[in-house]
Amino acid sequence: MATVKTTPNKPKDAGLEARQKLGWWHAYRFLILRRLSQLSIILMFLSGPLWNVWILKGNYSSSMLFDVVPLTDPLITAESLATGYLPEWTTIVGALIIVAFYAVFASKAFCSWVCPMNIVTDAAAWLRRKLGIRQSAKLPRNLRYVILVMILLGSAVSGTLLWEWINPVAALGRVFVFGLGATLWLVAVVFLFDLLVVEHGWCGHLCPIGAAYGLIGAKSLIKINVVDRERCDRCMDCYNVCPEPQVLRLPLHGSESDSPIVLDKDCITCGRCIDVCPENVFAFGSRFEKQVQVKNI
Amino acid sequence: MKLDPNRRQFLKNATRTAAGVCGIGVILGLQQHQANAKEGVALRPPGALAEKDFLAACTRCGQCVQACPYDMLHLASLLSPMEAGTPYFVARDKPCEMCPDIPCMNACPSGALSEELTDINDARMGLAVLLDHETCLNWQGLRCDVCYRVCPLIDKAITLDRIHNDRTGIHAKLIPTVHSDACTGCGKCEQACVLEEAAIKVLPMDLAKGLLGRHYRLGWQEKQNAGKALLEEQHPDGLRPAFDARMPEGQVEPVYQHMKVQPDVKVATPNRATYDYVPNPTTVDAPEHYPNLDLNIKGVK
């Protein structure tokens, strides 16, 4: 049992201890890998328009991989179906591929490893920690699921894709390929909202795309595991850095009966908790109790 | 300077509220700006479903925009005249080039640009309408004809129809006339219009077309279809005295002349596509009427 800290680390120092103790790469590896993943996907969209090397055609809403594999945002497809329109098979198959992948792969992996808005909201959260902005307007975390249902019902009633006129995630995705328009303002609004109004406001409380992926990946295979609760010295770095800190409480500080696996569907499998923990409490693993040991880099 | 906690709390709340209000304000402001986005009439790519269905089907992926070899499609941003993320083009800017293989439609994954469009000439992106008779040069009795000449479906989608020129009394006006059964709405006429602001514009179908009442029949068409007049040949006897009674003293109602049924012949403008069109020679013969006419009126030596 590690000695419990009497004073937890400050939010602005989240990851500092891990950096000093375990080295720079260890404290940032999954963050760097995620940024590389996000940027490489942006590059796959851009390589066609820029250098005529077409890897992904389209954008995050709907795309074609190597002109063969269709990929479609499940929420847009659901909205389209809700209006009573049956899209062509390309769109349906694309949505099924995405749903199957994220249902099996990892909890909300889209949010942390693919979504471009994640870079913006992470930046806002980082700045929030550095500036020591602690207070936050309270929004219920489940509001996103209410919004998700509202969007689907609204699409059915209105007959249009209700969410798409304001969808900042799709708008940001379009920026890279189709140029920056007024989208900049929309992204700025999300950034400032996260920075000044609600902590993790967009991704953690409002975004219906994330909510959809949360439902899709609720039973996915890869989850964050608490390797050993005993090691935890309550420095609070993981809570400070986690975009969904409520998912850590039970696996880390729950009772005997609580699983040491982060099973909550809201966990975005970003691995920041693994990065910043100076005691190596966390590791990527599977959702099963009797698990195969996963070797972490 | 150390602020007391209450004041600090107040300042923080005030800042947060201001930021929130600004954010909402920006979003609402963007919506207001949409009305000011004046780029011309925005049109959908070929094969687009009816607007309401299109908005339900389009996944805003932009693959049609990327597929267009002429870069004439745009993806709407928040300030565009169309819903954010949907494709449109502005004919005055860059019209549709009418690719026979319709790459934009084939790139569409959702069917918002319908696969049912197999021949680009069946596309109905909109309908060209000669809107302004006061500026159109042909309406002034001049021979501009540019919209007619550039039309990919010349003599089908746009014909030149002759009317009398009342101003001169001896000329014709050749009026560019669009036919909705052929016009695809590609917008080449609008782009080519020589005026500062096009007199012919492509409008969305629902704006461009009127609709006859379903009960409405055009007498001459019915007559044409039936091959004979559908009314009584003679005035009914019962009405004859009434007609005569309305005439001045000593005069009788003129005898009603029945309209003759004539085949509906369209006279096309000479067209290089249909036969060997030989333009009039442009060389002018020497004047013969006044061979000795001296134009040196001022007597310049």
Side-chain angles (χ1 to χ4, degrees):
Chain A
M1 181 81 192
T3 38
V4 173
K5 294 201 170 197
T6 43
T7 48
N9 293 345
K10 292 195 177 72
K12 70 167 187 280
D13 294 335
L16 179 66
E17 205 183 332
R19 205 160 66 227
Q20 290 163 342
K21 203 166 156 183
L22 302 163
W24 184 87
W25 167 248
H26 189 285
Y28 288 110
R29 60 210 157 132
F30 289 120
L31 180 65
I32 291 166
L33 290 174
R34 270 173 41 224
R35 293 292 173 260
L36 284 175
S37 161
Q38 285 155 344
L39 292 173
S40 62
I41 285 164
I42 293 171
L43 268 181
M44 287 181 211
F45 280 122
L46 273 181
S47 64
L50 291 181
W51 312 298
N52 212 19
V53 180
W54 293 95
I55 302 172
L56 280 170
K57 271 186 183 162
N59 61 30
Y60 294 87
S61 302
S62 180
S63 59
M64 273 291 203
L65 182 62
F66 299 119
D67 259 340
V68 183
V69 185
L71 304 167
T72 319
D73 175 40
L75 180 57
I76 285 200
T77 314
E79 281 174 82
S80 200
L81 288 168
T83 64
Y85 175 77
L86 184 64
E88 275 173 22
W89 66 268
T90 319
T91 295
I92 302 278
V93 169
L96 289 176
I97 289 173
I98 290 288
V99 168
F101 176 78
Y102 287 110
V104 172
F105 186 57
S107 175
K108 287 178 93 169
F110 173 87
C111 299
S112 46
W113 295 79
V114 178
C115 181
M117 191 52 94
N118 175 260
I119 303 171
V120 176
T121 55
D122 272 2
W126 176 84
L127 199 56
R128 204 177 228 275
R129 287 197 300 272
K130 291 295 164 200
L131 296 177
I133 304 172
R134 290 300 284 148
Q135 77 295 344
S136 151
K138 285 280 174 281
L139 281 176
R141 286 263 178 190
N142 284 336
L143 183 58
R144 49 190 145 177
Y145 297 103
V146 178
I147 291 176
L148 176 64
V149 171
M150 194 184 75
I151 282 167
L152 292 178
L153 287 177
S155 296
V157 172
S158 68
T160 63
L161 309 191
L162 195 70
W163 168 234
E164 296 314 311
W165 74 269
I166 196 72
N167 181 347
V169 178
L172 181 58
R174 290 194 292 265
V175 162
F176 302 115
V177 189
F178 302 100
L180 194 66
T183 308
L184 187 64
W185 294 107
L186 200 57
V187 175
V189 165
V190 172
F191 179 83
L192 291 173
F193 177 75
D194 267 31
L195 180 66
L196 299 169
V197 186
V198 183
E199 195 173 11
H200 305 302
W202 177 255
C203 303
H205 301 80
L206 297 176
C207 180
I209 300 173
Y213 278 114
L215 297 175
I216 289 166
K219 300 286 177 227
S220 54
L221 297 179
I222 297 177
K223 295 275 181 186
I224 305 281
N225 293 10
V226 174
V227 179
D228 187 359
R229 282 182 189 173
E230 298 295 303
R231 291 184 198 162
C232 173
D233 64 1
R234 310 219 168 182
C235 74
M236 302 299 280
D237 274 5
C238 59
Y239 284 100
N240 287 331
V241 91
C242 177
E244 308 272 353
Q246 77 281 4
V247 308
L248 294 175
R249 205 175 53 79
L250 285 181
L252 193 55
H253 299 125
S255 60
E256 278 302 315
S257 58
D258 289 313
S259 164
I261 297 169
V262 183
L263 290 171
D264 195 305
K265 65 180 182 304
D266 288 337
C267 169
I268 68 168
T269 329
C270 64
R272 272 308 269 156
C273 51
I274 309 176
D275 280 344
V276 300
C277 180
E279 310 299 331
N280 280 326
V281 171
F282 300 96
F284 273 119
S286 78
R287 63 172 297 106
F288 307 110
E289 297 285 347
K290 297 228 184 316
Q291 56 173 283
V292 190
Q293 273 301 314
V294 179
K295 191 175 178 302
N296 276 306
I297 39 169
Chain B
M1 176 177 94
K2 197 88 180 91
L3 296 169
D4 74 272
N6 278 342
R7 183 181 285 186
R8 246 167 64 179
Q9 189 58 43
F10 167 76
L11 284 176
K12 278 174 179 171
N13 284 344
T15 312
R16 210 166 56 201
T17 310
V21 169
C22 285
I24 292 165
V26 165
I27 288 183
L28 293 177
L30 288 180
Q31 279 300 294
Q32 293 305 312
H33 265 286
Q34 228 177 353
N36 301 338
K38 278 204 173 68
E39 306 177 54
V41 187
L43 301 163
R44 295 291 183 203
L49 304 171
E51 187 67 7
K52 191 165 174 358
D53 299 334
F54 183 84
L55 287 178
C58 173
T59 57
R60 282 74 167 160
C61 73
Q63 288 183 66
C64 51
V65 177
Q66 291 180 322
C68 177
Y70 295 97
D71 279 340
M72 43 71 68
L73 288 177
H74 312 286
L75 208 60
S77 78
L78 289 169
L79 291 187
S80 304
M82 294 285 196
E83 284 71 8
T86 57
Y88 71 98
F89 71 99
V90 177
R92 184 66 166 166
D93 208 19
K94 271 187 178 173
C96 173
E97 297 289 343
M98 309 272 286
C99 313
D101 54 345
I102 329 180
C104 50
M105 183 272 284
N106 285 314
C108 179
S110 70
L113 304 180
S114 173
E115 298 270 355
E116 282 167 27
L117 181 69
T118 48
D119 178 1
I120 188 66
N121 289 333
D122 295 338
R124 291 292 178 269
M125 293 166 263
L127 180 63
V129 183
L130 183 49
L131 286 164
D132 192 3
H133 298 179
E134 292 175 335
T135 52
C136 168
L137 296 177
N138 275 44
W139 266 103
Q140 312 319 307
L142 303 164
R143 287 297 305 274
C144 161
D145 303 359
V146 167
C147 55
Y148 162 78
R149 295 277 163 213
V150 299
C151 180
L153 293 166
I154 185 170
D155 282 325
K156 288 195 196 72
I158 305 187
T159 56
L160 291 178
D161 289 9
R162 262 181 302 182
I163 60 169
H164 181 63
N165 186 337
D166 283 334
R167 184 174 55 80
T168 65
I170 55 168
H171 296 97
K173 288 181 181 179
L174 293 166
I175 303 301
T177 307
V178 180
H179 302 278
S180 64
D181 55 352
C183 172
T184 61
C186 71
K188 282 188 157 298
C189 52
E190 182 181 344
Q191 192 223 6
C193 179
V194 300
L195 305 180
E196 293 289 312
E197 177 80 35
I200 190 166
K201 287 192 174 83
V202 179
L203 301 180
M205 270 296 175
D206 51 356
L207 274 182
K209 284 295 287 177
L211 186 63
L212 274 178
R214 235 166 314 185
H215 61 283
Y216 213 92
R217 299 288 179 272
L218 298 173
W220 57 93
Q221 279 184 2
E222 298 302 316
K223 202 165 180 174
Q224 194 82 44
N225 294 344
K228 64 176 177 58
L230 298 173
L231 291 168
E232 294 286 328
E233 290 292 319
Q234 298 294 327
H235 286 297
D237 267 356
L239 284 178
R240 189 78 231 175
F243 279 118
D244 289 342
R246 278 202 320 221
M247 298 303 292
E249 195 73 38
Q251 290 189 29
V252 290
E253 170 89 3
V255 178
Y256 175 70
Q257 295 290 325
H258 285 290
M259 197 175 85
K260 295 208 167 51
V261 178
Q262 285 174 334
D264 189 12
V265 182
K266 258 209 189 111
V267 183
T269 323
N271 180 348
R272 264 164 283 195
T274 52
Y275 60 90
D276 290 337
Y277 169 64
V278 183
N280 291 329
T282 49
T283 48
V284 181
D285 294 335
E288 357 170 79
H289 306 296
Y290 308 100
N292 300 325
L293 181 69
D294 188 4
L295 289 173
N296 192 353
I297 297 162
K298 287 186 175 171
V300 179
K301 294 280 185 299

